[in-house]
Amino acid sequence: MQRIKLAPDYEISRVIRGGWQMASGHGAVRSDDPVADLIAFADAGITTFDCADIYTGVEDLIGRFRLRYRDLRGQEALDHIKVHTKFVPDLEILPRISKSQVESLIDQSLRRLKMERLDLVQFHWWDYAADRWLETSVWLEELRRAGKIHKVSATNFDTGRMLQMIEAGVPLTSMQVQYSLLDNRPAKRKVAAAIEHGVSLLCYGTVAGGFLGDRWLGVAEPDDALENRSLVKYKLIIDDIGGWDLFQALLRTLRGIADRHGVDIATVASAAMLSRPAVAGVIVGARTRDHLDANLAISDVALTEQDNAGITAVLAGAKELEHDVYTLERDRHGRHGSIMKYNLNKGAA
């Protein structure tokens, strides 16, 4: 498994195990022993784990995994494990949020994850109209200096606000962004700004909730309820860039590339993003260890000029998504924003 340094004192695996699919309410498939699954990923070299304070039960699960991993493998092995969580205050408290509330949520994550210092905290803010977001980012930096956080990062802020945080003295280590073959919004402005300021991009949605996988190749467009909100939101992206026919053309191209490399479509879709400028890692979700081998293959697949040309050719017919990162999703009354849940974190209400 390839590894990369986000900072001189901070190294991660380039494939990151996502935690959203393990959250309660995400789907019916469940592992019989999720802690053992996490141990299998860590032993195989995927030593970085992504979660959030609003992923129900996931921080607690990773906390149990950390203790078990230390007991089995020792403290030195545990030191290689990195946990990236998210700080996601509820929409309803944003206008009145205080530093004490911020610290309360950070302390909650520390307790759940059974850590004395959080490895990396990714700041999320639902509504720019609630204008304390910049002050809140400074409070997170103050908590970093106080020793409760190692690295302060952010997720889904647009490029301008990312730069405002940096200018305010918040040394962002990374930005987690939705970035895939279907969603190229980060390439508009954020990639160049990230490179200029030494910010690494960590990409989620690289397989579009599973749509960029063999399961959907040759399948008729779904006209009934999808399994979860993740699939619903990525189906909206498919609709916006050109619809099901274009999507199927992309899957056929990816299947040809996958055949040449001896892997599956999802592996190619993630590997393609891992080679993009500024991208340090890709976050892949898994409810069980069934896809561990495929996840491990991501960092080993080197796409050829022929592969990239094929992808470019099919996406030449795609429509460009509007705006910067996450702007569509911030419109709470629009197609993308109306499916979100904004008040899942009651720890500091």
Side-chain angles (χ1 to χ4, degrees), residues 149-168:
I149 301 169
H150 189 192
K151 301 295 181 185
V152 174
S153 295
T155 178
N156 287 327
F157 279 89
D158 61 23
T159 306
R161 289 172 176 83
M162 177 187 81
L163 294 174
Q164 283 183 259
M165 283 188 273
I166 293 170
E167 291 164 2

Side-chain angles (χ1 to χ4, degrees), residues 70-326:
R70 184 189 61 194
D71 290 343
L72 290 172
R73 306 291 185 258
Q75 184 62 46
E76 185 176 351
L78 180 62
D79 290 343
H80 286 91
I81 302 296
K82 294 292 183 285
V83 180
H84 297 177
T85 194
K86 299 180 194 71
F87 164 71
V88 191
D90 283 350
L91 174 67
E92 64 184 20
I93 76 163
L94 300 187
R96 63 179 190 277
I97 194 168
S98 66
K99 183 178 179 180
S100 65
Q101 289 172 314
V102 173
E103 188 166 10
S104 176
L105 283 175
I106 293 301
D107 287 343
Q108 174 181 262
S109 291
L110 285 166
R111 288 192 301 272
R112 289 171 171 175
L113 290 165
K114 297 175 174 57
M115 303 177 80
E116 295 182 359
R117 181 180 69 173
L118 298 176
D119 291 329
L120 184 144
V121 174
Q122 299 161 117
F123 173 33
H124 185 281
W125 191 264
W126 291 114
D127 187 358
Y128 294 144
D131 61 3
R132 291 189 177 185
W133 62 267
L134 185 58
E135 188 174 12
T136 300
S137 72
V138 173
W139 290 333
L140 288 171
E141 167 59 11
E142 290 173 356
L143 290 173
R144 184 192 70 80
R145 293 178 183 176
K148 292 195 173 186
I149 301 169
H150 189 192
K151 301 295 181 185
V152 174
S153 295
T155 178
N156 287 327
F157 279 89
D158 61 23
T159 306
R161 289 172 176 83
M162 177 187 81
L163 294 174
Q164 283 183 259
M165 283 188 273
I166 293 170
E167 291 164 2
V170 181
L172 296 176
T173 297
S174 62
M175 287 291 301
Q176 185 178 140
V177 293
Q178 184 171 304
Y179 197 10
S180 72
L181 295 175
L182 299 174
D183 185 350
N184 199 41
R185 284 177 289 178
K188 292 182 177 182
R189 294 185 60 210
K190 178 152 287 182
V191 167
I195 292 171
E196 180 180 355
H197 293 276
V199 177
S200 298
L201 299 186
L202 306 177
C203 305
Y204 72 89
T206 58
V207 297
F211 273 120
L212 288 172
D214 288 279
R215 170 188 171 189
W216 293 97
L217 177 61
V219 174
E221 184 171 7
D223 57 6
D224 54 357
L226 292 163
E227 179 185 356
N228 52 57
R229 284 185 297 117
S230 179
L231 286 173
V232 171
K233 77 171 184 174
Y234 291 115
K235 177 58 167 57
L236 292 175
I237 296 292
I238 291 169
D239 294 342
D240 286 351
I241 69 165
W244 201 251
D245 289 343
L246 175 68
F247 170 62
Q248 286 295 316
L250 176 60
L251 287 185
R252 289 192 295 271
T253 297
L254 295 178
R255 182 63 261 168
I257 296 170
D259 287 341
R260 290 195 288 274
H261 291 273
V263 295
D264 60 17
I265 288 175
T267 299
V268 172
S270 291
M273 303 315 299
L274 204 55
S275 65
R276 296 290 176 93
V279 172
V282 295
I283 305 164
V284 294
R287 294 187 179 109
T288 70
R289 74 187 85 175
D290 292 348
H291 299 288
L292 175 55
D293 288 343
N295 295 161
L296 289 170
I298 291 170
S299 67
D300 294 330
V301 173
L303 300 187
T304 66
E305 290 186 11
Q306 177 190 0
D307 298 334
N308 287 316
I311 293 170
T312 299
V314 70
L315 290 178
K319 299 175 183 176
E320 185 174 294
L321 292 173
E322 296 179 343
H323 309 299
D324 203 333
V325 168
Y326 212 66

